[in-house]
Amino acid sequence: MANKLDKIQQQALQRYLKFEKEHQAENYAAATEEKMMTRSSIINHHDNLAIERIINKSDLFPIAHLQAGLDVSKAVCRISIRGRSGQLEGYGTGFLVGPNLLLTNNHVLETAEAAMYAVAEFNYEDDVHFKPRDIISFRLDPELLFITDEALDFTLVAMEPYNANAVPLATFGYLPLLPKPGKILEGEYVTIIQHPKGGPKAITIRENEVKFISSDYVHYVSDTEPGSSGSPVFNDQWMVVSLHHAGVPDPTDPNKWIANEGIRISSIIQHLSDKRSSLETEQARKMLDYLLSVVMPGSTKAPMEVGVLASDWYAEATGYNKEFLGKEFIVPLPQLDNEMKKDVAATSEGKETLDYTHFSVAMSKSRRLAFFTAVNIDGDQLVDVKRKNDRWYFDPRIDKAYQLGNDFYKSNDIDRGHLVRRRDPNWGIDAVKANEHTFHFTNSSPQHKNFNQKVWLDLEDYLLDNARDHDMKVSIFTGPVFRDTDRNYRDAQIPNQFWKVAVMVKDGTELSATAYLQTQENMIDGDLEFVYGQFETYQVPITKIEELTGLDFGELRKADPLAKGQAARVKRAGDISI
């Protein structure tokens, strides 16, 4: 083991010196404009300080950063390496990367036999009073799944779902591996959670500058010790950017270190993808598929289950309430024109809308998507319902043939975009039920992930945040614009534009209704690849939405401050007025 580790360290040193020479020769700029654009694209848009940290080297963090670090640390464990007779041979670090899946170094667990006798120990750490927590140990299950690679120095191994005391491994969560580029730039800092020298869990936080990034490796200046091999290396957003595996020795003094080296997550994921077909059992392939469905290049979509809710889930759902804003401010559903009425997917009772908890949906049979959705939002009673899974449902009240299901969304960058946002109807005593109701295919529409998770989300955030911050009641109508020229894909069409109409009572005396139009028209090329920078948001007259969709909003158009005039481009959420 010692000779192998020496070899790994010398190889790391040679790579480090090579990269250093190349960067000096190129007068390398750590953060080009293109790289910075990629980096910023995966930062949570609520993290207002992130770009300041990257560009101006600010040390300011939201206080929640510390809690987020504690949360991810639960998935990190000490690995006790034992021989066949149970004798202790050494320590390493590992971390959970999926349900029942552990990632560490090849030089920590070289063979399935070594994994068979090893033990993963969670909670090996001190509490705030410097007292040790109770260690919770789990056995590994290499017979179920074991993938290792000496060149990339990683091992992925299955674990038992429950330990001898019936404690579920799921208690400790897992760290998703996202191979999308832009998780770290040279000149940024990384954080490492580890078990140095096999001791209690420790952290080196931020004073660890990334020096070089290559196709397979990341080099960073950091404090680690023997036993830290197999540790997760995080960026400032607590995303895993590499698997720590070796120190880089000082070429002039073998007792000193000049840097550390980690294996890039994208390289590990690519190797796992290549190995998938060689796995012998269906169960092992399913475990790896779950991991890869979260992390396949170009996709950050979570694995999804498809289900059907029982009829009693719909029995008491009253849907959208037209008197929600007050009996003196009645806001009825928009009316379908005659052609749309012929195309509407009616229930067995003949209803043109599907009623859910606090919202309703009118479906097009030909497009298998909603003509519109309508939701009531009570900002004073909003409940924060956590998103626990990604299970979507067919609505049994209409034919499944009229609902665009999950096959359309597989293996591409198209999201199941909520039309009624998941959080919008989650208020009052039925909040949990409302949350579940939003996960119907009737409430989804194809949206490119960069549109759904950025531009569309910004508008949704703005509307919901205003309702919550001002304890307002708001009714919102949402839908796609259907055109014959919409892109055909997998026997369906992807809408180019989406709209919203937000209605509230202004100053307690009159209705105010504002309409917004957002486009993803130039979002994709022929292969569904994202084209950056083509998203636009406009505040438009309600009459424009009527013209584009064929819907009739009736008297509501009189409450529109843009009843006269042209579309107004919205550059940021703060420009929107409701």
Side-chain angles (χ1 to χ4, degrees):
M1 174 65 76
N3 290 336
K4 182 173 184 177
L5 191 54
D6 287 342
K7 179 182 177 181
I8 290 173
Q9 291 169 351
Q10 288 302 314
Q11 291 172 339
L13 171 61
Q14 295 308 310
R15 284 189 288 265
Y16 183 88
L17 295 176
K18 176 176 178 289
F19 299 145
E20 186 177 46
K21 183 178 180 180
E22 289 175 351
H23 282 48
Q24 289 174 347
E26 298 170 3
N27 191 24
Y28 188 82
T32 64
E33 182 178 353
E34 180 180 359
K35 288 183 177 179
M36 183 60 71
M37 181 179 295
T38 303
R39 178 73 179 97
S40 62
S41 71
I42 65 170
I43 295 173
N44 189 310
H45 67 284
H46 291 299
D47 188 352
N48 297 321
L49 296 172
I51 296 299
E52 281 295 309
R53 290 198 296 273
I54 296 171
I55 297 176
N56 297 323
K57 306 302 179 185
S58 169
D59 286 324
L60 291 175
F61 284 82
I63 193 65
H65 179 78
L66 301 178
Q67 182 60 56
L70 285 173
D71 291 342
V72 300
S73 74
K74 295 175 184 177
V76 181
C77 65
R78 181 177 74 167
I79 299 176
S80 292
I81 307 165
R82 299 182 180 276
R84 180 173 298 185
S85 62
Q87 74 275 17
L88 182 64
E89 296 181 351
Y91 294 104
T93 301
F95 55 103
L96 297 170
V97 295
N100 308 350
L101 288 175
L102 180 78
L103 185 65
T104 187
N105 291 137
N106 165 270
H107 76 261
V108 173
L109 296 175
E110 295 184 51
T111 65
E113 182 179 10
M116 184 71 71
Y117 303 116
V119 176
E121 299 170 333
F122 293 85
N123 280 0
Y124 184 45
E125 57 193 82
D126 294 337
D127 64 19
V128 293
H129 303 293
F130 304 101
K131 294 182 179 180
R133 298 184 184 276
D134 294 332
I135 298 174
I136 302 177
S137 300
F138 289 81
R139 304 293 303 188
L140 281 56
D141 189 0
E143 292 183 347
L144 177 56
L145 185 143
F146 184 85
I147 302 175
T148 193
D149 185 75
E150 183 174 358
L152 288 179
D153 195 17
F154 82 87
T155 291
L156 181 72
V157 59
M159 295 185 63
E160 59 180 9
Y162 296 88
N163 71 0
N165 295 318
V167 176
L169 184 64
T171 301
F172 301 96
Y174 64 86
L175 307 177
L177 303 182
L178 305 177
K180 183 178 179 180
K183 293 190 293 296
I184 197 72
L185 293 174
E186 292 172 7
E188 280 194 82
Y189 295 87
V190 292
T191 293
I192 305 174
I193 298 176
Q194 58 193 293
H195 284 278
K197 295 183 178 179
K201 190 181 296 177
I203 183 171
T204 57
I205 185 166
R206 280 212 98 234
E207 287 303 317
N208 320 301
E209 184 179 0
V210 174
K211 304 295 288 185
F212 310 123
I213 301 174
S214 67
S215 58
D216 291 330
Y217 302 97
V218 180
H219 287 100
Y220 39 89
V221 179
S222 179
D223 293 325
T224 57
E225 297 279 358
S228 298
S229 295
S231 302
V233 181
F234 299 93
N235 64 11
D236 279 347
Q237 289 76 49
W238 296 108
M239 298 175 184
V240 182
V241 299
S242 70
L243 171 68
H244 174 73
H245 86 126
V248 179
D250 188 328
T252 64
D253 187 347
N255 296 316
K256 295 182 179 179
W257 307 91
I258 57 176
N260 280 285
E261 183 179 75
I263 310 298
R264 292 187 66 175
I265 292 303
S266 56
S267 299
I268 294 173
I269 291 304
Q270 185 59 56
H271 185 90
L272 290 172
S273 301
D274 295 341
K275 284 289 185 180
R276 193 263 182 198
S277 60
S278 65
L279 296 178
E280 296 181 358
T281 69
E282 182 65 22
Q283 188 174 2
R285 286 191 291 273
K286 285 184 177 180
M287 292 183 72
L288 190 59
D289 284 347
Y290 187 98
L291 176 67
L292 296 177
S293 68
V294 180
V295 300
M296 283 297 289
S299 176
T300 58
K301 288 193 286 190
M304 193 202 71
E305 301 176 45
V306 177
V308 177
L309 289 176
S311 59
D312 59 352
W313 275 81
Y314 309 96
E316 298 180 4
T318 56
Y320 172 83
N321 179 5
K322 66 181 181 181
E323 298 181 356
F324 180 69
L325 300 180
K327 292 186 177 181
E328 65 275 34
F329 301 112
I330 294 177
V331 182
L333 293 173
Q335 295 299 302
L336 306 175
D337 66 21
N338 290 332
E339 290 301 313
M340 297 163 78
K341 285 180 178 291
K342 295 176 184 178
D343 188 41
V344 73
T347 67
S348 57
E349 291 82 18
K351 291 191 61 176
E352 294 182 351
T353 59
L354 299 166
D355 291 333
Y356 301 96
T357 304
H358 303 150
F359 69 98
S360 297
V361 177
M363 288 292 293
S364 162
K365 291 189 292 188
S366 61
R367 294 295 293 258
R368 292 182 283 166
L369 300 171
F371 282 121
F372 68 83
T373 65
V375 61
N376 304 126
I377 304 174
D378 191 333
D380 190 40
Q381 297 189 65
L382 285 171
V383 177
D384 184 15
V385 180
K386 299 300 182 183
R387 183 171 182 164
K388 296 182 179 179
N389 56 44
D390 204 25
R391 183 185 298 112
W392 284 73
Y393 303 101
F394 287 101
D395 192 316
R397 296 173 294 179
I398 61 172
D399 196 314
K400 187 183 291 187
Y402 302 146
Q403 303 172 63
L404 195 60
N406 188 49
D407 287 345
F408 182 88
Y409 299 95
K410 286 183 177 178
S411 304
N412 56 39
D413 283 344
I414 305 301
D415 277 357
R416 297 170 295 276
H418 281 76
L419 292 176
V420 170
R421 186 187 183 180
R422 182 185 71 84
R423 295 167 57 200
D424 285 358
N426 297 352
W427 52 268
I429 61 174
D430 292 325
V432 173
K433 186 175 182 179
N435 177 77
E436 202 74 8
H437 275 173
T438 64
F439 286 92
H440 277 81
F441 289 115
T442 53
N443 185 44
S444 67
S445 192
Q447 294 180 341
H448 192 281
K449 64 178 184 181
N450 292 62
F451 175 82
N452 179 46
Q453 299 170 25
K454 291 191 177 74
V455 182
W456 188 248
L457 182 63
D458 283 344
L459 178 57
E460 292 179 322
D461 279 346
Y462 178 77
L463 296 173
L464 183 65
D465 289 348
N466 269 276
R468 183 188 59 237
D469 294 346
H470 301 287
D471 297 334
M472 290 193 305
K473 287 185 174 183
V474 183
S475 292
I476 296 180
F477 304 101
T478 304
V481 175
F482 292 153
R483 290 190 174 94
D484 293 338
T485 56
D486 285 339
R487 166 73 187 275
N488 285 292
Y489 178 69
R490 293 182 178 177
D491 297 323
Q493 289 180 282
I494 302 174
N496 285 331
Q497 291 182 311
F498 294 87
W499 56 270
K500 284 184 180 292
V501 174
V503 189
M504 57 168 286
V505 177
K506 185 177 181 181
D507 299 326
T509 60
E510 61 179 338
L511 283 177
S512 175
T514 49
Y516 309 98
L517 186 66
Q518 293 187 314
T519 178
Q520 57 178 6
E521 191 163 0
N522 299 317
M523 71 169 186
I524 48 178
D525 63 17
D527 297 319
L528 293 186
E529 291 294 330
F530 174 55
V531 179
Y532 185 84
Q534 301 299 320
F535 300 138
E536 304 288 352
T537 301
Y538 295 90
Q539 186 171 339
V540 299
I542 290 177
T543 52
K544 181 67 173 179
I545 304 300
E546 292 178 315
E547 175 189 336
L548 291 171
T549 64
L551 295 170
D552 183 355
F553 283 91
E555 296 295 310
L556 193 61
R557 66 178 73 96
K558 296 180 180 179
D560 182 5
L562 291 186
K564 296 181 180 180
Q566 301 300 313
R569 183 175 176 178
V570 177
K571 297 181 180 179
R572 57 186 183 276
D575 293 334
I576 303 171
S577 61
I578 60 174

